[in-house]
Amino acid sequence: MERHITDFLYLISIVVFIFGMKGLSSPATARKGNLTAAAGMGLAILIALFSPAEGSFDNHIWIIAGMVVGSAIGLVSAKRVAMTKMPEMVSLFNGLGGATAMLIGFIELKNYQPAVISTVKSLLSNGEAANLMNGEVFSSIFALIIGAVSFSGSLIAWGKLNGSLRDNIKLPAPQIVNLVTLTAIIALSVMIMNGEEMNFALLLILTVLGLFYGVAFVSPIGGGDMPVVISLLNSFTGVGAAVAGLIYGNNIMIIGGILVGASGTILTVLMCEAMNRSLISVIIGGLGSSGSSSGSDREEVVKEATPADLAIQLKYSERVVIVPGYGLAVAQAQHVCHELEQSLEAEGVDVKYAIHPVAGRMPGHMNVLLAESDVDYDKLMELEPANDAFNNTDVVLVIGANDVVNPAAKTDTGSPIYGMPILDVEQAKNVIVFKRSMSTGYAGIQNPLFFGERTKMLFGDAKASLGKLKEELNNA
């Protein structure tokens, strides 16, 4: 009877969690959906605490203490992390989820040996050799590998996002290294499952190889492709959680892990389509390796704009499109940008935002940033509608974006971003680029858009520049 009640409560928490996930599909309901999903997961945790599995130890004090410490760290860190650092925090949190799956798999495999030996001795009567090839061992090995890859890969992604590992790690022949490592992981897994008892040395080697593969397949990937990597690692962690649920027979872990893994996989596919990449190339570490840009030998001339002149131009425009990028987030200029949008609309100007799928440092980064400043979601245009609208746009304001508007992606076969769909802002009548300097973007290549016939540069901090522009517009 108690088991039925537990299953029923788990079902309720799963339904609540699914409704929360559904709410995340729209920015208008994302906050409510996030809280709903958290409530469902909180209910599942309480059920697990008060309905422990058979044979478990009475270790509630340790569990609750760990929850209190972890919650405190998460609460403090989340409040102190700026929006520009949010992708790094997501990578770290995702890595911790992978580490959990890795430790679960490792401990279950390490403690499996005594049970196997006693079971084998009691069941074997015909002298055949025993092995560990069963569902529990397979699930534990899978959780160990997936968790290890997610953990180490997320740490490398975190290092790349904050710039400390951007060019520091360079593995020779990364595709070959990845394939050899994968082959070794599969071979070791088969050896462990075909063994008569658990080999602790092989288990340690398998764990190290899993951690190394996470480093090996993330390290060659260019910074411009980080959104794809983050969503892929997120799906890995979800799969790891689902497999851990299979080990313990916990339905909420299975369902929750499947949902996270499936949504991460779907997002990864969408990101690959947006980047015009192959998912296989992500797995073997082939992104961002197209080579260096061929560049141009002719002298390029940059035309500068002033806030006063730009204010007049904007005041008499009919349509203006704003393209936000990571520079907007760094300058914390989203609120001033929204105020400029409101000032333009007061002048009768139609203002929209063009959002590239991989703008920023993680999927949806710009959407979250603009939602924080209360920008109406209906004003946000995705890649294709935005490209259709640029021909009829008077002014495009590119604020802190670089690689997602780089025409080299279409024309320079030697560019690392060649083939990536971009926002065709050069099709607009006028393009104004907000930048601190002429430095390259995250992909490390120069942007020929900056030297275009219709392009002018407005140098300086994005927040300060937008503030001056708004002031000039109000006084015009």
Side-chain angles (χ1 to χ4, degrees):
M1 182 65 180
E2 180 182 351
R3 181 62 182 174
H4 292 303
I5 295 175
T6 300
D7 289 341
F8 178 72
L9 292 175
Y10 270 141
L11 178 62
I12 293 176
S13 66
I14 290 171
V15 171
V16 174
F17 188 73
I18 291 175
F19 271 105
M21 291 281 287
K22 177 65 170 62
L24 297 177
S25 61
S26 170
T29 59
R31 181 179 178 84
K32 182 179 178 181
N34 193 36
L35 293 174
T36 302
M41 192 55 66
L43 175 61
I45 292 173
L46 291 176
I47 297 169
L49 282 175
F50 292 103
S51 301
E54 293 182 8
S56 62
F57 298 101
D58 186 12
N59 52 7
H60 288 74
I61 295 179
W62 287 100
I63 295 174
I64 294 174
M67 290 173 59
V68 170
V69 173
S71 298
I73 294 174
L75 183 63
V76 172
S77 62
K79 283 188 174 182
R80 298 177 65 178
V81 172
M83 180 59 68
T84 53
K85 299 295 183 180
M86 196 62 65
E88 298 169 32
M89 188 184 73
V90 170
S91 292
L92 283 178
F93 282 180
N94 187 67
L96 292 176
T100 301
M102 177 186 70
L103 291 174
I104 288 174
F106 185 87
I107 292 172
E108 288 299 313
L109 289 169
K110 180 179 179 295
N111 296 334
Y112 194 74
Q113 182 175 341
V116 170
I117 292 176
S118 60
T119 302
V120 168
K121 287 182 177 179
S122 63
L123 293 180
L124 287 181
S125 59
N126 54 4
E128 294 181 0
N131 60 58
L132 308 183
M133 192 169 290
N134 59 67
E136 185 177 347
V137 173
F138 176 80
S139 298
S140 299
I141 290 176
F142 194 77
L144 169 65
I145 296 170
I146 290 292
V149 172
S150 178
F151 174 53
S152 59
S154 295
L155 291 182
I156 296 299
W158 169 79
K160 283 177 170 285
L161 289 170
N162 67 24
S164 60
L165 296 178
R166 185 172 179 181
D167 298 314
N168 293 15
I169 298 180
K170 294 182 179 179
L171 296 176
Q175 287 86 357
I176 296 176
V177 171
N178 289 339
L179 290 175
V180 170
T181 305
L182 269 179
T183 303
I185 288 174
I186 295 172
L188 275 176
S189 301
V190 172
M191 289 174 62
I192 290 174
M193 294 184 67
N194 283 319
E196 296 183 11
E197 61 182 41
M198 188 59 62
N199 189 316
F200 186 68
L202 291 181
L203 181 59
L204 281 177
I205 296 174
L206 181 63
T207 304
V208 171
L209 282 177
L211 292 170
F212 175 76
Y213 182 72
V215 174
F217 102 85
V218 175
S219 60
I221 298 176
D225 295 329
M226 271 299 113
V228 180
V229 179
I230 292 175
S231 60
L232 181 62
L233 292 173
N234 184 63
S235 67
F236 282 1
T237 299
V239 172
V243 176
L246 288 172
I247 296 173
Y248 293 127
N250 188 295
N251 292 329
I252 190 65
M253 289 180 68
I254 296 172
I255 300 297
I258 289 174
L259 289 173
V260 174
S263 60
T265 301
I266 293 172
L267 183 58
T268 301
V269 173
L270 293 177
M271 290 296 102
C272 286
E273 291 179 355
M275 298 287 290
N276 196 25
R277 307 291 194 187
S278 165
L279 182 57
I280 297 298
S281 70
V282 179
I283 297 175
I284 65 174
L287 274 73
S289 58
S290 301
S292 59
S293 175
S294 59
S296 174
D297 293 331
R298 68 187 180 90
E299 183 180 355
E300 304 286 10
V301 179
V302 172
K303 298 181 289 294
E304 291 192 45
T306 65
D309 292 339
L310 180 55
I312 297 297
Q313 187 177 20
L314 291 174
K315 184 180 179 70
Y316 293 100
S317 297
E318 292 184 5
R319 296 181 181 85
V320 172
V321 174
I322 299 173
V323 179
Y326 186 68
L328 180 73
V330 171
Q332 289 291 289
Q334 63 269 27
H335 298 287
V336 181
C337 184
H338 180 46
E339 293 171 3
L340 175 64
E341 168 210 326
Q342 293 175 318
S343 298
L344 287 172
E345 289 183 333
E347 298 289 342
V349 181
D350 179 27
V351 182
K352 293 286 192 279
Y353 292 81
I355 310 298
H356 193 281
V358 295
R361 294 293 186 267
M362 69 178 182
H365 194 182
M366 293 299 104
N367 301 69
V368 174
L369 193 73
L370 295 176
E372 187 184 63
S373 59
D374 297 324
V375 172
D376 189 347
Y377 182 68
D378 292 336
K379 295 182 180 297
L380 273 57
M381 297 187 295
E382 296 182 354
L383 181 71
E384 293 183 2
N387 283 340
D388 291 338
F390 284 135
N391 283 326
N392 297 318
T393 299
D394 296 304
V395 181
V396 172
L397 303 179
V398 180
I399 308 175
N402 194 325
D403 301 323
V404 297
V405 295
N406 194 334
K410 298 187 298 180
T411 60
D412 188 355
T413 57
S415 172
I417 62 172
Y418 179 72
M420 181 184 82
I422 62 166
L423 291 166
D424 297 323
V425 296
E426 72 274 14
Q427 299 299 323
K429 298 175 184 177
N430 298 279
V431 180
I432 308 297
V433 179
F434 290 68
K435 275 183 68 70
R436 290 180 180 271
S437 66
M438 290 298 294
S439 60
T440 59
Y442 199 45
I445 56 175
Q446 189 56 269
N447 191 339
L449 172 71
F450 302 157
F451 313 102
E453 293 290 334
R454 305 177 185 178
T455 303
K456 290 184 179 181
M457 307 293 296
L458 184 58
F459 293 109
D461 177 79
K463 186 175 182 179
S465 297
L466 286 170
K468 293 178 184 177
L469 181 58
K470 187 188 70 168
E471 183 179 345
E472 293 287 349
L473 182 65
N474 292 335
N475 295 332

